[in-house]
Amino acid sequence: GGYPVHRGTADRAALKCCLEVAERGEGLILFPEGTRQTGPEVQELFEGAAYVASKANVPILPMGIGGSEKAMPKGARMLRPVRLHYEIGTPIPAPRSEDGGRASREQLHATTKQLHTELQRVFDIARAKADFDHAVELAASTETYAARATFYRQQGDIARAIDDLDKAIYHWPLVRLHEDRAKCLILQEDYARAIKDLNVALAHNAQKVENYLLRARAQLASGHAHEGNLDFSNAIRLAP
């Protein structure tokens, strides 16, 4: 459940409730900006999160939420059905003094500053995911799916990248999309599908050294030594 907080003051009753929850080992969600915000920048944080973490000796787990601004903007009375994205950050240890005692004001401030930096990082990622979703909803096209696939691949979410490349290729089967999907499929060790994509690319005059090397890798991993060696030979033939 939740409990009210009197903003703008050091609400001791609310802090006491927070400490009781944290000390019981239960999950405690705090919004350290103190209120709903708009825009791409995480605003200045209150030090309540660092204080509670220090008193209860528990780490802080930063989380960025993207898309919530559209779900319930300021002034709205009802929630709107929108897709949200969240990104989990790196845990931040509870601020403690060197002798394990009470954290100083400087340590609380340093932890709050570290939290601000990490929150901005994960919020940027979550917000980008939500923005890509919104773009796809407005105009589901090859380019929007391909752009989102590139983003997911950069984030290491290969499964989602492949899913978006599937959709992009369905709209318009460009050779470069087959090449991109093949690279993702190899990372997932789905060599059979990767070979099919590279067959398409090579059949459409995309006879690049990289494509032959990729297919050779997939062929060898699939146990097709003869075909893999042929692709290596073709790569060597095309190499400058």
Side-chain angles (χ1 to χ4, degrees), residues 30-44:
L30 297 176
F31 294 89
E33 288 178 287
T35 185
R36 281 178 290 169
Q37 303 286 358
T38 60
E41 301 294 329
V42 175
Q43 301 302 309
E44 184 177 354

Side-chain angles (χ1 to χ4, degrees), residues 34-77:
T35 185
R36 281 178 290 169
Q37 303 286 358
T38 60
E41 301 294 329
V42 175
Q43 301 302 309
E44 184 177 354
L45 306 183
F46 290 96
E47 295 187 348
Y51 174 80
V52 171
S54 175
K55 293 285 286 184
N57 194 25
V58 294
I60 303 170
L61 185 63
M63 177 187 292
I65 303 174
S68 59
E69 188 175 337
K70 297 181 180 69
M72 193 173 184
K74 285 193 173 184
R77 294 180 177 272

Side-chain angles (χ1 to χ4, degrees), residues 71-199:
M72 193 173 184
K74 285 193 173 184
R77 294 180 177 272
M78 299 290 291
L79 283 169
R80 299 175 183 175
V82 299
R83 180 178 293 181
L84 303 181
H85 281 275
Y86 65 88
E87 186 73 17
I88 304 297
T90 302
I92 298 173
R96 308 288 288 177
S97 65
E98 292 183 1
D99 60 3
R102 181 177 178 180
S104 66
R105 170 76 69 172
E106 290 75 18
Q107 288 172 315
L108 294 179
H109 181 71
T111 298
T112 301
K113 185 177 180 180
Q114 183 183 359
L115 175 60
H116 184 278
T117 300
E118 183 64 4
L119 279 176
Q120 185 67 65
R121 185 185 72 82
V122 293
F123 176 59
D124 288 343
I125 296 172
R127 187 168 178 267
K129 290 180 178 180
D131 286 345
F132 273 120
D133 278 354
H134 186 57
V136 169
E137 288 170 5
L138 290 176
S141 68
T142 297
E143 291 306 320
T144 52
Y145 282 123
R148 190 170 66 176
T150 299
F151 172 79
Y152 278 131
R153 185 180 174 189
Q154 290 171 346
Q155 295 299 317
D157 195 340
I158 305 302
R160 286 190 176 182
I162 292 171
D163 183 59
D164 272 338
L165 286 168
D166 289 345
K167 294 170 183 174
I169 290 169
Y170 175 80
H171 281 272
W172 193 4
L174 297 172
V175 170
R176 64 176 174 84
L177 298 178
H178 283 286
E179 292 172 339
D180 288 345
R181 188 170 65 180
K183 293 173 186 175
C184 291
L185 289 166
I186 287 174
L187 290 174
Q188 292 286 80
E189 299 183 359
D190 190 345
Y191 300 115
R193 286 186 64 197
I195 290 169
K196 289 180 180 178
D197 273 330
L198 291 166
N199 288 344

